[in-house]
Amino acid sequence: MLQKAQQIKDPNERICYIIDQFKPNAGFVYDSQLPILEKGKLRIRLESFDCITFIYYMLAMNKARNFNEFVDNYKKLRYKNPEELGVDNDPENGNIYDFTFESLYENAVEM
């Protein structure tokens, strides 16, 4: 699906195509109600989303040619400096962006 999506040159059309692949079957689960994962673990679930996780995933997929690129893009959107700090999901002491403004405005603009 990601390879096919990357054949679509217009990024708006590409993200619409990606969203259409998930729309009919995506379940809704609040990510914030799931257990906080231990340091170094990354949660990727494509069968269910909450609203903001759906947005993160679609944006990360829009620039990805394969699953590994999607995961890398997601980490860059969702975590502060994941290349050096890794992945730490602790909202108080970790490097996860806990607020949409941080991740989708400040961090995404830098990508």
Side-chain angles (χ1 to χ4, degrees):
M1 187 261 311
L2 293 175
Q3 290 175 345
K4 185 174 180 179
Q6 289 307 313
Q7 294 173 4
I8 303 169
K9 298 302 177 200
D10 181 279
N12 295 322
E13 289 179 28
R14 185 180 327 118
I15 202 163
C16 287
Y17 167 79
I18 294 168
I19 289 169
D20 284 344
Q21 306 312 300
F22 288 91
K23 223 174 13 179
N25 300 315
F28 186 88
V29 174
Y30 283 108
D31 204 56
S32 61
Q33 293 181 345
L34 297 172
I36 296 173
L37 296 176
E38 63 187 65
K39 188 175 184 174
K41 298 227 176 182
L42 180 67
R43 177 179 287 123
I44 300 287
R45 15 173 256 291
L46 299 176
E47 70 279 355
S48 62
F49 314 93
D50 62 16
C51 298
I52 194 64
T53 304
F54 184 78
I55 293 169
Y56 288 134
Y57 283 2
M58 297 305 108
L59 290 173
M61 285 183 193
N62 200 32
K63 291 182 69 174
R65 292 179 304 240
N66 57 53
F67 185 76
N68 290 336
E69 283 185 13
F70 155 65
V71 171
D72 287 341
N73 293 339
Y74 175 70
K75 283 193 287 191
K76 289 175 187 172
L77 271 174
R78 193 64 210 249
Y79 296 87
K80 181 178 182 168
N81 198 4
E83 296 85 12
E84 290 182 30
L85 302 175
V87 172
D88 189 342
N89 297 288
D90 182 341
E92 292 183 29
N93 301 310
N95 64 326
I96 189 166
Y97 286 118
D98 207 25
F99 297 101
T100 309
F101 179 81
E102 294 172 321
S103 60
L104 293 180
Y105 181 74
E106 292 178 349
N107 191 40
V109 168
E110 293 177 14
M111 284 183 68

